[in-house]
Amino acid sequence: MHIQQNISLKSYNTFGIESEARYFVSVHTIGELQEALSLPNYLKKFLLGGGSNMLLTGPIDALVIHVNLKGIAIENQNQDYIQLSCMAGENWHDFVLHCIDNNYGGLENMSLIPGNVGTAPIQNIGAYGVELKDVFLKCDAIEIATSKEVSFTDQQCDFGYRNSIFKTTHKGQYVITRVTFKLTKNKHKIQTQYGAINEHLSLNNITNPTIKQVSDAVIAIRESKLPDPKKLGNSGSFFKNPVVDSKTFEAFNAKFPEAPFYALANSEFKIPAGWLIEQAGFKGKRYGDAGVHENQALVLVNYGNATGAQIWELALKIQKKVAKDFGITIEPEVNVF
Ligand code: EPU
């Protein structure tokens, strides 16, 4: 295991923020991960996956452990279903494409989401009507305090909208090493109810789409709205869509009847933060190298040399103005360090 010192994390976070790790090690096996976690001379450990959901606002005075575990394996299958396990360090979209190439269905609506497989359960990634929890069977993890291997079932993860126990009760306590998915081999559950997908498919005269055609539609939609982190630093949606109770919603809806919303099962309502931010006047705005994307106000971007602190300052400014204009608090979706 090779421990390096004073390493730039710019290429390890999709925001492209300059931040230095005091110590850095990339681990390729579970054994190496356990060894790195138990190194006594480095008290503070900082786990790094695909770096797609984080904002670094300063140097990281810790041992940064880059989880670089690779591999995909078939665990079980029958005529209709396959259980596929994927190591945490695999790129999420490459894994989705691997499944589509092999005609394993379930992940196609989540094409092109940045990040790695191991961090997907933490915030229960989701897009276009499907969430990770819909295809999740279990995940294996290492307990940071003891280096012991443990597994978590779907139920134990307690998934919610952009949420799981890894963001709440178990925050910072486990490193996910492997995720096992349950996917379809035939009779795929094609989900195109999300407006933009149907629109895209019918424009291309596709009536009975394959999982590949759904994936292609999602890729085209995402590419038209969301900036490619390789070209423009960003972390996807910076804020979560706020969920409000019916009383708050009714007052909001009476004042802003044109605002889009989704009614949830428990008489709560989800309001698109992108709409609130756009109406608050921030869409496409730029402050130095920190900005709000011109096609999707939920996404904050780094035009080159923004610092994490500058992006964070912009996020707080947006949060404050949205609260003032609409009486609704929007919370960051990304993890801020
Ligand atoms: N809207 C605006 N202005 C904007 C952006 C959106 O008015 O600048 C309006 C849209 O017109 C639409 C509504 O807000 O009526 C919802 O927009 P969209 O369908 O683009 O989805 P979203 O709620 O903005 C969420 C996820 C995305 C995911 C899409 C598609 C969150 C925080 N974001 O965005 O996830 O791709 O739905 O399912 O839930 C991510 O998490 O990084 C991410 C990109």
Side-chain angles (χ1 to χ4, degrees):
M1 228 173 20
H2 177 48
I3 296 173
Q4 297 170 279
Q5 282 193 44
N6 304 329
I7 292 295
S8 165
L9 296 175
K10 195 173 167 80
S11 63
Y12 289 96
N13 71 99
T14 60
F15 248 128
I17 299 283
E18 185 56 82
S19 159
E20 211 173 68
R22 180 85 181 87
Y23 301 101
F24 181 94
V25 65
S26 194
V27 296
H28 301 87
T29 63
I30 295 198
E32 279 184 1
L33 172 61
Q34 286 169 316
E35 194 185 332
L37 288 172
S38 14
L39 286 171
N41 296 336
Y42 305 91
L43 280 180
K44 277 195 269 170
K45 317 267 166 37
F46 182 100
L47 275 305
L48 176 68
S52 66
N53 203 41
M54 55 166 32
L55 178 66
L56 302 171
T57 61
I60 304 296
D61 186 22
L63 170 64
V64 172
I65 304 175
H66 179 226
V67 182
N68 211 357
L69 309 169
K70 302 280 189 192
I72 298 172
I74 294 175
E75 301 295 336
N76 213 335
Q77 61 181 320
N78 61 24
Q79 237 186 324
D80 298 327
Y81 294 100
I82 184 155
Q83 291 177 5
L84 205 60
S85 69
C86 183
M87 299 302 287
E90 292 284 356
N91 173 271
W92 172 264
H93 182 59
D94 290 346
F95 176 61
V96 172
L97 293 182
H98 169 88
C99 292
I100 288 164
D101 284 348
N102 286 282
N103 196 32
Y104 305 147
L107 302 177
E108 53 283 355
N109 292 45
M110 294 186 281
S111 298
L112 213 61
I113 295 183
N116 285 356
V117 169
T119 37
I122 300 177
Q123 62 149 339
N124 181 28
I125 61 168
Y128 306 104
V130 178
E131 289 182 326
L132 176 102
K133 72 173 172 55
D134 303 326
V135 283
F136 179 97
L137 198 65
K138 66 160 190 156
C139 67
D140 302 319
I142 305 282
E143 190 179 18
I144 294 175
T146 61
S147 280
K148 275 199 190 124
E149 292 194 74
V150 273
S151 288
F152 294 92
T153 62
D154 173 13
Q155 290 249 307
Q156 286 169 323
C157 290
D158 197 21
F159 291 120
Y161 165 61
R162 295 291 193 274
N163 207 11
S164 78
I165 54 164
F166 304 109
K167 279 185 93 171
T168 55
T169 51
H170 292 49
K171 188 174 177 169
Q173 294 171 34
Y174 294 89
V175 193
I176 295 172
T177 53
R178 180 181 13 233
V179 184
T180 307
F181 299 84
K182 187 180 180 188
L183 304 170
T184 48
K185 284 172 57 176
N186 52 56
K187 294 192 212 123
H188 299 309
K189 201 170 155 210
I190 299 289
Q191 306 214 50
T192 58
Q193 71 281 21
Y194 197 94
I197 299 187
N198 267 332
E199 224 171 274
H200 184 91
L201 292 171
S202 54
L203 270 175
N204 290 286
N205 296 319
I206 300 168
T207 41
N208 266 322
T210 62
I211 55 171
K212 169 89 168 72
Q213 286 169 324
V214 173
S215 169
D216 287 346
V218 169
I219 291 172
I221 298 162
R222 286 188 79 99
E223 281 178 341
S224 73
K225 279 199 200 171
L226 298 167
D228 177 354
K230 289 195 191 96
K231 295 182 191 139
L232 185 62
N234 76 89
S235 204
S237 303
F238 191 91
F239 295 97
K240 288 191 276 195
N241 288 330
V243 174
V244 299
D245 60 28
S246 53
K247 198 165 154 238
T248 311
F249 174 73
E250 273 154 33
F252 171 79
N253 187 242
K255 227 167 148 190
F256 306 100
E258 71 284 13
F261 64 88
Y262 318 99
L264 305 177
N266 44 358
S267 70
E268 289 183 318
F269 292 84
K270 199 190 263 181
I271 300 167
W275 187 88
L276 298 171
I277 298 167
E278 181 173 348
Q279 299 303 311
F282 287 102
K283 193 168 184 172
K285 282 274 164 68
R286 181 170 172 171
Y287 305 83
D289 267 1
V292 179
H293 193 243
E294 55 190 2
N295 297 334
Q296 167 55 287
L298 251 190
V299 178
L300 302 191
V301 293
N302 172 12
Y303 282 100
N305 291 310
T307 62
Q310 286 164 339
I311 302 265
W312 185 230
E313 197 185 318
L314 172 58
L316 293 177
K317 194 183 171 106
I318 293 171
Q319 193 182 42
K320 213 166 150 190
K321 179 80 168 29
V322 166
K324 183 169 165 271
D325 290 1
F326 301 101
I328 290 174
T329 304
I330 52 172
E331 299 288 350
E333 192 220 73
V334 301
N335 297 306
V336 181
F337 297 99

